């Protein structure tokens, strides 16, 4: 029996809901939350001194999206993104300001 995590299910529900409403920018934001998460991304050197910094505590595993760690989940998430792009192309009734421009 296959099950999906409740947090992932909520994100997918939001993506579908936003796409149905024609809010593709919000759907794209929900997709990014699922794909890469909201964790702080350390760029460059993170430990330059001898003292622990308060900002370092924000880089926790709770904020990291673990969806991209699995090849199967990565494929499913890519399919969700393709469906979002298709829905956006098909919906000509939606204002262009609510669409995501893919270059």
């Amino acid at each position: 029996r296959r099950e999906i995590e409740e947090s992932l299910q909520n994100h997918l529900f939001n993506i579908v809901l936003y796409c149905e409403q024609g809010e593709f920018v919000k759907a794209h934001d929900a997709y990014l939350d699922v794909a890469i998460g909201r964790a702080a991304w350390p760029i460059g050197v993170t430990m330059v001194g001898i003292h622990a910094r308060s900002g370092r505590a924000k880089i926790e595993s709770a904020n990291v999206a673990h969806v991209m760690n699995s090849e199967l989940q990565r494929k499913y998430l890519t399919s969700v993104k393709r469906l979002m792009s298709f829905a956006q192309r098909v919906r000509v009734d939606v204002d262009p300001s609510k669409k995501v421009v893919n270059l």
Side-chain angles (χ1 to χ4, degrees), residues 13-33:
F13 176 78
N14 287 335
I15 290 170
V16 171
L17 182 67
Y18 289 139
C19 286
E20 285 179 343
Q21 295 172 351
E23 296 285 345
F24 294 104
V25 173
K26 290 180 181 178
H28 190 261
D29 288 342
Y31 168 79
L32 287 178
D33 279 348

Side-chain angles (χ1 to χ4, degrees), residues 4-89:
I4 188 170
E5 292 178 20
E6 188 174 341
S7 63
L8 182 59
Q9 186 176 3
N10 290 338
H11 281 292
L12 291 175
F13 176 78
N14 287 335
I15 290 170
V16 171
L17 182 67
Y18 289 139
C19 286
E20 285 179 343
Q21 295 172 351
E23 296 285 345
F24 294 104
V25 173
K26 290 180 181 178
H28 190 261
D29 288 342
Y31 168 79
L32 287 178
D33 279 348
V34 133
I36 60 175
R38 294 272 182 189
W41 287 35
I43 299 173
V45 180
T46 58
M47 297 296 286
V48 293
I50 59 171
H51 302 290
R53 299 184 62 189
S54 61
R56 182 84 175 142
K58 293 181 182 175
I59 306 171
E60 296 290 332
S61 62
N63 295 328
V64 176
H66 297 288
V67 173
M68 292 303 215
N69 291 343
S70 163
E71 185 67 28
L72 183 63
Q73 289 178 340
R74 188 177 10 242
K75 287 180 181 181
Y76 280 126
L77 200 56
T78 303
S79 298
V80 168
K81 177 63 175 146
R82 288 179 180 165
L83 287 171
M84 288 170 54
S85 298
F86 176 76
Q88 183 173 273
R89 274 194 309 274

